[in-house]
């Protein structure tokens, strides 16, 4: 797929939207690498996706249980009875501590109320990126050959019938813990973090929409992973777009970037804190991907993300840091999120 500059991508999205033409979009965190393509021009040997039902593979995704060729391509094979190797080698405590302390210093100085701190964790597995994609089950997932795979549960924005919706996700807990639902919903640190993000997203949507309201606040989703189940907390925020919104899809999306849930508040200053504190380049991780079908737009934040670099796999994950954050809890949460939703 062709790579576009930010302005080229914005203009192309506006043009395709105005013409009611379907397109896929992939935008990295820094808005420096952007792919916009009409679905019939996407080579499925280079990119596979299933974005909440918008897909360039059979629907639903199935794997031939005899391990035979998938879609006639001998490379696209996998066996469901294959024993899975999954070894996690997280960033050292010392390195995480330095990053955490940089964030806390800025928070204490009033430069940020909430900062999303992320790390790149080395993982060793006997599955390829393609096999991880094929065997995973997630609301949004994508495979980009020799670059990355993600399986994200987090919605960025949805647009339908003149309304825009966002679903910020903040708060994660092991579902197997005693009284897990009560614990996560009554955790003061998690509650404050979620409230901050909801307020940030509400303000973001107000840039492009009117009558912005929080229609659902702090509800739970259960996610099944290769390491057990997790509970995650989300909210729903919605607003009304102008009548000619389809001709301004590029303007709308880029006005909201980067996603508030993976930066923090205030957004601009927190971005500089992220650059100072993180020890890896985010790349496509925490960017967005989505699909416009000519009428509806659905998109996701690219989290639960594995990047391929120099023949190795790096799982990128993190969490929100506030003045009330405990370093041990945050370090453990970062590691806990290194999972694959395999079946």
């Amino acid at each position: 797929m062709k790579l576009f500059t930010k302005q080229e991508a914005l203009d192309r999205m506006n043009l395709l939207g105005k013409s009611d033409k379907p397109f896929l979009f992939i935008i990295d965190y820094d808005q420096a690498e952007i792919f916009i393509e009409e679905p019939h021009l996407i080579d499925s040997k280079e990119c596979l996706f299933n974005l909440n039902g918008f897909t360039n593979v059979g629907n639903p995704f199935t794997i031939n249980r005899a391990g035979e060729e998938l879609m006639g391509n001998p490379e696209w094979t996998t066996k469901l009875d294959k024993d899975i190797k999954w070894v996690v080698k997280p960033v050292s405590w010392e390195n995480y501590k330095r990053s955490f302390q940089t964030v806390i210093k800025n928070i204490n100085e009033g430069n940020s109320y909430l900062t999303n701190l992320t790390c790149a964790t080395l993982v060793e597995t006997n599955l390829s990126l393609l096999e991880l994609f094929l065997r995973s089950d997630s609301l949004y997932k994508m495979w980009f050959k020799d670059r990355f795979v993600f399986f994200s549960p987090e919605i960025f924005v949805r647009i339908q019938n003149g309304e825009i919706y966002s679903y910020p996700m903040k708060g994660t807990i092991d579902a197997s813990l005693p009284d897990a639902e009560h614990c996560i919903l009554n955790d003061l640190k998690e509650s404050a973090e979620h409230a901050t993000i909801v307020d940030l997203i509400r303000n973001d949507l107000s840039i492009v929409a009117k009558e912005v309201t929080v229609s659902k606040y702090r509800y739970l989703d259960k996610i099944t992973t290769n390491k057990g189940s997790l509970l995650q907390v989300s909210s729903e925020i919605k607003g009304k777009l102008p009548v000619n919104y389809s001709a301004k899809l590029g303007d709308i999306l880029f006005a909201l970037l980067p996603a508030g849930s993976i930066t923090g508040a205030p957004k601009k200053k927190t971005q500089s804190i992220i650059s100072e504190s993180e020890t890896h380049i985010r790349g496509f991780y925490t960017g967005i991907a989505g699909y416009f079908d000519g009428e509806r737009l659905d998109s996701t934040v690219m989290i639960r993300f594995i990047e391929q670099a120099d023949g190795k796999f790096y799982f990128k994950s993190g969490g929100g840091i506030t003045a009330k954050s405990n370093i041990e809890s945050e370090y453990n949460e970062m590691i806990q999120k290194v999972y694959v939703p395999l079946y």
Side-chain angles (χ1 to χ4, degrees):
M1 290 190 292
K2 182 181 177 181
L3 191 66
F4 292 91
T5 67
K6 178 178 177 179
Q7 188 59 54
E8 288 172 341
L10 188 154
D11 292 340
R12 181 163 170 77
M13 294 171 87
N14 285 348
L15 179 61
L16 291 169
K18 183 178 181 180
S19 304
D20 298 327
K21 290 185 177 180
F23 62 89
L24 175 78
F25 56 94
I26 312 169
I27 306 173
D28 75 330
Y29 171 72
D30 289 321
Q31 301 167 51
E33 288 195 85
I34 306 168
F35 295 95
I36 312 290
E37 194 56 273
E38 295 180 70
H40 67 280
L41 297 175
I42 298 171
D43 184 351
S44 59
K45 295 180 182 179
E46 301 292 327
C47 177
L48 291 173
F49 62 90
N50 186 353
L51 304 176
N52 191 25
F54 295 124
T55 178
N56 66 339
V57 205
N59 191 20
F61 281 98
T62 58
I63 300 174
N64 187 307
R65 293 185 180 273
E68 298 172 357
E69 292 180 9
L70 177 69
M71 296 179 61
N73 188 326
E75 296 179 7
W76 297 356
T77 63
T78 188
K79 290 183 180 294
L80 292 179
D81 58 356
K82 183 176 183 178
D83 291 334
I84 298 171
K85 175 185 176 184
W86 187 258
V87 179
V88 175
K89 297 184 176 181
V91 62
S92 70
W93 170 260
E94 291 74 20
N95 286 339
Y96 183 83
K97 184 178 179 180
R98 281 194 290 270
S99 296
F100 182 88
Q101 288 176 335
T102 300
V103 171
I104 288 296
K105 177 178 179 292
N106 276 277
I107 289 175
N108 290 338
E109 291 175 353
N111 296 324
S112 177
Y113 306 108
L114 168 67
T115 299
N116 190 263
L117 176 63
T118 71
C119 301
T121 296
L122 178 65
V123 293
E124 295 179 356
T125 180
N126 58 341
L127 299 179
S128 67
L129 291 183
L130 180 57
E131 286 176 313
L132 287 166
F133 171 84
L134 293 172
R135 296 184 62 155
S136 62
D137 182 20
S138 184
L139 185 62
Y140 304 95
K141 64 178 186 175
M142 177 179 289
W143 165 75
F144 207 108
K145 186 177 182 180
D146 296 331
R147 297 198 68 172
F148 64 80
V149 63
F150 71 80
F151 2 78
S152 177
E154 182 168 356
I155 304 162
F156 177 51
V157 294
R158 288 174 173 168
I159 296 175
Q160 185 172 2
N161 298 326
E163 293 190 313
I164 184 168
Y165 299 81
S166 186
Y167 301 82
M169 179 180 287
K170 277 295 172 186
T172 305
I173 192 172
D174 184 340
S176 68
L177 293 175
D179 205 14
E181 180 175 339
H182 180 269
C183 289
I184 190 66
L185 291 177
N186 289 276
D187 185 295
L188 294 179
K189 181 263 178 184
E190 296 288 357
S191 297
E193 180 182 341
H194 195 94
T196 299
I197 285 300
V198 167
D199 189 53
L200 172 62
I201 301 302
R202 182 179 57 80
N203 288 332
D204 278 357
L205 289 192
S206 295
I207 298 172
V208 299
K210 297 181 178 180
E211 299 179 35
V212 176
T213 59
V214 180
S215 44
K216 296 180 184 177
Y217 188 66
R218 299 194 78 211
Y219 61 87
L220 290 171
D221 289 315
K222 189 173 185 179
I223 298 172
T224 302
T225 83
N226 62 318
K227 299 194 298 184
S229 295
L230 300 175
L231 294 179
Q232 296 202 291
V233 186
S234 299
S235 289
E236 179 186 84
I237 307 165
K238 66 178 182 178
K240 291 186 177 182
L241 293 170
V243 175
N244 62 338
Y245 71 88
S246 61
K248 297 182 178 181
L249 289 179
D251 295 278
I252 291 169
L253 288 173
F254 280 101
L256 302 175
L257 292 177
S261 63
I262 48 75
T263 49
K267 189 186 288 188
K268 187 173 182 179
K269 179 59 180 176
T270 300
Q271 283 180 260
S272 67
I273 297 171
I274 288 171
S275 297
E276 179 186 357
S277 59
E278 292 187 347
T279 57
H280 70 107
I281 303 300
R282 291 195 177 190
F284 282 98
Y285 170 58
T286 66
I288 67 166
Y291 191 92
F292 176 64
D293 72 349
E295 295 181 357
R296 300 170 297 151
L297 184 144
D298 201 343
S299 61
T300 182
V301 182
M302 292 190 284
I303 60 173
R304 310 299 185 265
F305 183 102
I306 301 176
E307 180 178 83
Q308 181 176 327
D310 300 322
K312 297 181 179 180
F313 289 172
Y314 296 90
F315 196 114
K316 297 183 176 182
S317 63
I321 309 300
T322 71
K324 295 182 179 180
S325 289
N326 174 276
I327 186 171
E328 292 185 357
S329 297
E330 298 297 341
Y331 183 67
N332 290 332
E333 179 180 334
M334 179 271 296
I335 297 172
Q336 182 187 51
K337 289 178 178 177
V338 182
Y339 71 80
V340 181
L342 297 177
Y343 63 88

